[in-house]
Amino acid sequence: MHELSIVMGIIEIAERQAKAADATIIDEVELDIGTLSGIETEALEFAWKQGVRQTMLEYAVKKINQIAGKARCLDCDAEFAIEKYEDACPICGEHLLDIIQGKELRVKSLLVS
Amino acid sequence: MCATCGCDSGGKTTFRLLDKDQQAEHDHKHVFAAGHDHAHSHFDSHDHVHNHSKTIIEVEQDVLLQNNLLAQRNRGYFDAKNILALNLVSSPGSGKTSLLERTLTDLKGQLDFAVIEGDQQTTNDADRIQATGTDVTQINTGKGCHLDAHMILHALQGLKPKENSVLLIENVGNLVCPAMFDLGEKERIVIISVTEGDDKPLKYPDMFHSSTLCIINKTDLLPYVPFDIEKVKANAKKINHHLEIIEVSCTTGEGLQVWYNWLKSKVLLPETT
Ligand SMILES: Nc1nc2c(ncn2[C@@H]2O[C@H](COP(=O)(O)OP(=O)(O)OP(=O)(O)O)[C@@H](O)[C@H]2O)c(=O)[nH]1
Ligand SMILES: [Mg+2]
Ligand SMILES: [Zn+2]
Ligand SMILES: [Zn+2]
Ligand SMILES: [Zn+2]
Ligand SMILES: [Zn+2]
Ligand SMILES: [Zn+2]
């Protein structure tokens, strides 16, 4: 359950930013999570409930932007959507891919007051 | 508070440097919070007279940034001392410690080694390493399911690996969680054993995607288990076309020479010897 470490990381970032802005309440936190980031949404939900207790994020609304996987084929240069690392290039069938999107794991923004 | 990284102490991760002479097993119990204890002042519940207006903060910050910065710091330390750091990951029981035991014994006198052992509980693995005469620090992560760069930073403070040595880091047995946490290693080595089923790469793609070498262990058991080694290799390559694959048996020693050659090829020898 590395998701708990991830939630701790989110809390650390959010609290530091909120305090720096002199805020006392975090109303909303917006996260960018790529589908290839290694984060299980269910596990994250579970870890979130445990992790945010008694922190500034305890009552914050969590918004998650799921970012779809995208790759570039090193053989034919095509760009296309992928769901898994094992996916082949739909144009030439090769597996020599560069992941160009989908590994994001970011705190995008906060709404504070 | 830890002066090096500013972390708060009093947490659940423990570090134990095992001494060569067993009786003097002093405790390097530099303890810090891995699941940080948060002693925050939380939002006030007083009646607000003043108006809090809502503000949007554009953060745009990588959640793993802190770990990645510490990993870079470890990497700098390794580079400066010409230490080859390897991060060994696998499911529980694939043979990480067995591979280390064989390696440390067979290459004794040829390369200098130091070992960091990561387990949730016990110093069993570190004891096995110590029996080979190698310096070893045991990290116990408690409930933590992976090592992170911060833990390695502290383990290094006690272990102090020699210049030009090879640092072998055995991660917590877990094919999921350690994938996300860069430790500052040069190479990540994923180990699977033939008793685990040949769909491992497809089930745990993150680990295979982030590793540079895959060791298939326990090949002595191939006659007894349904394990299509060619299928595994093909699947692993689909996920990561850079992945090198070496087949070994830690029990019979078959294939170990290939692994030793790989290891030696990664060691940058110092200018003068
Ligand atoms: N038959 C056979 N058994 C092996 C081989 N390598 C390791 N084993 C056995 O597999 C079991 C687990 O090996 P370990 O080296 O402790 O595995 P590990 O990956 O360090 O396990 P954890 O630290 O618990 O994650 C032990 O009983 C070993 O004796 C091998 O090549 N062949
Ligand atoms: Mg072990
Ligand atoms: Zn985990
Ligand atoms: Zn293509
Ligand atoms: Zn620290
Ligand atoms: Zn810390
Ligand atoms: Zn107030």
Side-chain angles (χ1 to χ4, degrees):
Chain A
M1 263 279 289
H2 51 296
E3 280 80 4
L4 191 56
S5 315
I6 296 302
V7 170
M8 291 307 182
I10 294 170
I11 295 168
E12 218 169 287
I13 292 171
E15 289 193 333
R16 194 175 331 115
Q17 295 272 345
K19 283 174 191 163
D22 259 341
T24 45
I25 298 174
I26 301 177
D27 299 280
E28 232 175 78
V29 54
E30 185 185 11
L31 307 173
D32 284 344
I33 301 184
T35 53
L36 299 170
S37 67
I39 291 297
E40 285 282 348
T41 325
E42 257 176 55
L44 182 73
E45 286 301 333
F46 184 75
W48 188 267
K49 287 199 189 92
Q50 283 187 291
V52 299
R53 241 175 259 153
Q54 305 204 322
T55 74
M56 287 177 80
L57 283 175
E58 185 162 11
Y59 302 106
V61 175
K62 169 165 52 56
K63 289 211 309 203
I64 297 181
N65 307 321
Q66 284 232 2
I67 301 184
K70 214 187 212 182
R72 181 182 295 116
C73 176
L74 299 180
D75 268 339
C76 74
D77 237 25
E79 278 184 21
F80 48 90
I82 61 165
E83 277 173 26
K84 299 183 187 139
Y85 288 121
E86 71 197 73
D87 290 352
C89 169
I91 311 294
C92 73
E94 276 303 328
H95 286 278
L96 299 177
L97 311 181
D98 252 357
I99 308 296
I100 53 178
Q101 187 185 290
K103 296 196 60 118
E104 296 76 5
L105 184 51
R106 256 191 322 244
V107 179
K108 184 162 173 38
S109 71
L110 298 172
L111 182 65
V112 300
S113 47
Chain B
M1 153 117 68
C2 160
T4 315
C5 62
C7 69
D8 39 3
S9 39
K12 302 152 204 91
T13 303
T14 60
F15 298 82
R16 188 168 285 116
L17 176 74
L18 278 76
D19 282 322
K20 274 195 184 138
D21 45 22
Q22 260 152 328
Q23 62 265 51
E25 196 193 281
H26 58 260
D27 242 354
H28 275 262
K29 234 185 185 176
H30 178 101
V31 178
F32 69 91
H36 292 244
D37 278 335
H38 288 267
H40 317 277
S41 55
H42 301 295
F43 40 91
D44 36 12
S45 53
H46 61 269
D47 278 341
H48 288 192
V49 244
H50 53 285
N51 242 345
H52 287 271
S53 59
K54 300 202 176 197
T55 321
I56 292 175
I57 308 175
E58 300 291 346
V59 182
E60 300 282 355
Q61 205 183 106
D62 195 325
V63 177
L64 289 168
L65 182 70
Q66 198 53 33
N67 185 72
N68 293 342
L69 289 175
L70 290 172
Q72 275 312 103
R73 192 163 156 169
N74 293 342
R75 199 164 270 124
Y77 174 92
F78 297 140
D79 284 348
K81 291 180 165 276
N82 193 36
I83 292 168
L84 174 67
L86 306 175
N87 179 5
L88 283 87
V89 295
S90 85
S91 335
S94 302
K96 297 181 293 301
T97 312
S98 304
L99 184 74
L100 295 188
E101 287 175 305
R102 286 293 304 235
T103 307
L104 297 169
T105 308
D106 292 349
L107 298 186
K108 185 171 266 174
Q110 299 181 47
L111 296 172
D112 266 331
F113 290 102
V115 175
I116 294 174
E117 279 291 339
D119 287 289
Q120 294 195 320
Q121 308 283 346
T122 83
T123 58
N124 292 354
D125 284 1
D127 293 340
R128 286 165 63 185
I129 299 303
Q130 190 193 19
T132 70
T134 311
D135 291 343
V136 54
T137 286
Q138 176 78 55
I139 301 177
N140 283 132
T141 58
K143 287 201 169 62
C145 47
H146 57 268
L147 295 177
D148 62 32
H150 187 197
M151 298 175 192
I152 298 302
L153 188 148
H154 283 293
L156 289 170
Q157 291 170 340
L159 186 61
K160 298 191 179 66
K162 290 200 195 100
E163 288 198 13
N164 309 313
S165 63
V166 178
L167 175 66
L168 300 162
I169 304 169
E170 178 176 339
N171 219 310
V172 180
N174 181 330
L175 218 35
V176 182
C177 313
M180 298 186 75
F181 297 86
D182 184 6
L183 306 180
E185 73 266 24
K186 184 83 181 226
E187 313 270 350
R188 185 174 294 179
I189 302 171
V190 58
I191 300 170
I192 49 172
S193 60
V194 304
T195 52
E196 293 172 46
D198 48 26
D199 52 358
K200 269 279 144 77
L202 298 182
K203 278 187 179 163
Y204 302 96
D206 291 305
M207 201 56 102
F208 288 83
H209 191 259
S210 66
S211 295
T212 44
L213 173 66
C214 170
I215 291 182
I216 303 179
N217 186 30
K218 307 194 190 179
T219 53
D220 57 292
L221 299 178
L222 275 174
Y224 314 106
V225 291
F227 185 86
D228 185 341
I229 209 158
E230 292 312 316
K231 191 167 116 195
V232 172
K233 287 186 184 176
N235 283 336
K237 288 275 196 190
K238 272 185 200 171
I239 287 161
N240 177 0
H241 55 273
H242 296 294
L243 195 67
E244 292 181 72
I245 299 172
I246 297 175
E247 299 157 42
V248 305
S249 164
C250 290
T251 302
T252 67
E254 198 190 353
L256 285 177
Q257 195 54 51
V258 184
W259 150 243
Y260 296 152
N261 290 342
W262 182 94
L263 187 57
K264 286 176 185 169
S265 77
K266 299 292 173 187
V267 176
L268 293 174
L269 291 173
E271 299 289 308
T272 51
T273 32

